Amino acid sequence: MSSHSSKNKKLDFISIGDSTLDVFVHVHEASVNCEIEHGRCQLCFAYGEKVPVESVTKVPGAGNASNAAVGASRLGLRSAIVSILGQDEVGEEILRHWKKERVNTTHVQFDSKHETNYSTVLSFKGERTILVYSHPRVYVLPPLEETRWIYYTSLGAKHDHLEKQLIRHLRAHPEQKMTFNPGTNHLKLGLKALLPIVKETDVFIVNKEEAERLLGQGEEPIPNMLLAFAHLGPEIVVITDGEHGSYAADRRHVWQCPVFDGPVRERTGAGDSYGTAFSVALLRGMDIPQAMRWGTANAWSVVQHVGPQAGLLTEEKMEQVLKKFKKVQPKLMTNHG
C-alpha cells in the first residue's frame, strides 16, 4: 500500500475514516411501510419489476471522514484526511476532488489489491437508504503531522490495529483534541469494545438510535443517555435527533437546540455536517451552545441539497445563516453541577 504526499502548513484538523464514491438514485415509485408501535419503516419496491429512476447524481469523495475533511476546509481550517483509496479511476477522481476542496492528502493511502469503496444511495421523499460496499482493508495509522483536532469516524471491520495506534497517539499528544463519531462497524462491536477509544475522546457524537443501541436500555430520555456517555470519559457528548434538533452535555449541563426551519431535499450527510461544524466551533474557542448553532446551521444547509457536501457552509455563509436564525438559541435543560 502506497501513500500520496502533498505539501501544506501545520494542520488544524485531521479526519480519519473510509471514503467512497456515492451514487444517488432518486426514485419516486416506491412505498414505505412503518411499524406504528416502534416507528421503524421499510422502503419497498415491487419484487422482480423494473423501477424507473428519476435522476442519478454521483458524489466522489463521500463517506463520513471525507465529509468532515471537506466541511472543515470550507470553514477555513487547514484540513487533512487519513483514508484508503483503490488504485483506480474513482480513486484518482476522489483525489482531485480533495485537492479542489483544499484538503491535504499527505496521509492518503492507495490499495493496489482492492478498488475504491462504493455506495448506492436510494433517495425517496427526502429520506435515504444506503447500500454500502466496502472492500477489505489493512488499516495502519500513518505518522500524523502536528494538528489541533482529530475527527475519527467510520472504518471497515478490521480496524482494531489502527484504533490502538490512535489511542497511543492521543496519549502521547494530550494537547490534540478528538471527536469520535462512530460508524456502522464501530456500533456493531458494542459499547464495551469501544470503551478504550471513548475514554480518549473529547467530543462523542451519535444520533438517538445509535445512542439507544450502544446503551442497550431501549428508549430513554436523551439527557439521561447524554450523562451516561459523559460518565465514560468524553468531555462533551452530543446526540442528534433529526427534526427534533440536537442535545449536548458536558459533565454538568444539558442543552437542547431546535433545528433551523427550512426545506429538506435529502438528508445524507446531515450528521457529518453537524459534527464537523460543532467541532470546528469548539476548536475556534466557542462554547457548547455556540457550537450547537454552528452544527445546526451546517446541517440546515446540507439537507437542502443532494449529497453530503454540496451544502457545506463557508465561514461567510455560516455567519449569514446564524444571523438569519439568531432567535433560535439552545436552551439549558438541566444543571448537574
Side-chain angles (χ1 to χ4, degrees):
M1 193 173 295
S2 60
S3 63
H4 182 276
S5 64
S6 65
K7 292 182 180 180
N8 207 336
K9 298 176 183 177
K10 177 183 171 183
L11 298 170
D12 298 308
F13 189 98
I14 298 178
S15 183
I16 301 173
D18 281 340
S19 303
T20 71
L21 168 68
D22 276 3
V23 178
F24 288 79
V25 179
H26 306 272
V27 294
H28 62 272
E29 290 189 16
S31 61
V32 176
N33 294 332
C34 297
E35 297 176 20
I36 295 174
E37 187 177 343
H38 301 290
R40 298 191 189 100
C41 298
Q42 295 177 327
L43 179 64
C44 302
F45 299 97
Y47 185 69
E49 288 193 12
K50 290 184 179 180
V51 179
V53 171
E54 201 172 301
S55 63
V56 175
T57 306
K58 293 184 179 181
V59 181
N64 303 35
S66 182
N67 298 338
V70 171
S73 178
R74 292 258 186 104
L75 288 170
L77 297 190
R78 292 180 294 266
S79 168
I81 186 165
V82 175
S83 197
I84 300 173
L85 301 174
Q87 286 187 325
D88 50 26
E89 288 183 14
V90 174
E92 292 296 333
E93 186 180 7
I94 290 173
L95 200 64
R96 289 194 295 272
H97 171 67
W98 285 333
K99 288 182 177 180
K100 180 183 174 184
E101 292 287 350
R102 302 182 70 179
V103 172
N104 181 298
T105 57
T106 299
H107 306 300
V108 174
Q109 299 167 315
F110 283 91
D111 185 344
S112 60
K113 295 181 180 178
H114 303 98
E115 296 177 352
T116 301
N117 292 343
Y118 178 95
S119 297
T120 300
V121 186
L122 302 177
S123 178
F124 180 68
K125 293 185 177 179
E127 288 293 352
R128 79 281 188 273
T129 299
I130 306 178
L131 309 178
V132 181
Y133 182 71
S134 298
H135 289 276
R137 303 291 191 202
V138 177
Y139 292 105
V140 177
L141 186 71
L144 299 181
E145 293 181 37
E146 191 176 346
T147 188
R148 298 168 65 195
W149 207 281
I150 292 171
Y151 194 100
Y152 177 47
T153 185
S154 184
L155 283 173
K158 297 181 179 179
H159 59 264
D160 329 35
H161 180 59
L162 181 146
E163 200 160 284
K164 288 174 183 174
Q165 291 178 301
L166 179 57
I167 289 170
R168 287 197 293 271
H169 173 87
L170 291 166
R171 288 175 179 168
H173 300 86
E175 76 285 357
Q176 295 181 10
K177 303 289 186 181
M178 186 181 78
T179 295
F180 179 31
N181 174 216
T184 303
N185 287 299
H186 291 116
L187 297 168
K188 283 180 182 176
L189 294 173
L191 188 56
K192 186 176 179 181
L194 295 180
L195 282 178
I197 190 70
V198 170
K199 287 178 181 177
E200 304 298 326
T201 297
D202 297 280
V203 180
F204 182 70
I205 300 181
V206 287
N207 64 36
K208 182 186 175 187
E209 291 74 23
E210 292 165 346
E212 289 171 353
R213 179 177 175 181
L214 284 173
L215 292 173
Q217 302 295 321
E219 286 197 39
E220 279 192 81
I222 289 179
N224 293 5
M225 293 195 287
L226 286 166
L227 296 170
F229 286 121
H231 287 313
L232 300 177
E235 292 180 15
I236 298 169
V237 180
V238 176
I239 295 177
T240 58
D241 190 18
E243 63 186 18
H244 303 294
S246 60
Y247 299 75
D250 55 18
R251 290 165 190 166
R252 296 179 58 210
H253 310 95
V254 175
W255 293 268
Q256 192 273 336
C257 185
V259 297
F260 294 168
D261 187 40
V264 175
R265 187 173 180 189
E266 203 271 319
R267 296 184 188 274
T268 305
D272 297 336
S273 60
Y274 185 105
T276 302
F278 185 94
S279 302
V280 170
L282 292 177
L283 186 153
R284 292 185 179 278
M286 298 177 204
D287 60 18
I288 292 174
Q290 288 176 298
M292 294 178 81
R293 295 192 77 238
W294 271 55
T296 302
N298 217 23
W300 169 86
S301 180
V302 162
V303 300
Q304 295 181 51
H305 299 78
V306 173
Q309 295 179 15
L312 289 169
L313 295 173
T314 61
E315 288 179 277
E316 183 182 359
K317 288 184 178 177
M318 174 67 74
E319 292 304 321
Q320 292 171 2
V321 175
L322 293 174
K323 188 175 180 180
K324 178 178 179 178
F325 292 101
K326 62 184 177 183
K327 291 183 179 178
V328 183
Q329 297 287 338
K331 299 178 180 65
L332 184 64
M333 295 181 69
T334 60
N335 186 336
H336 291 265

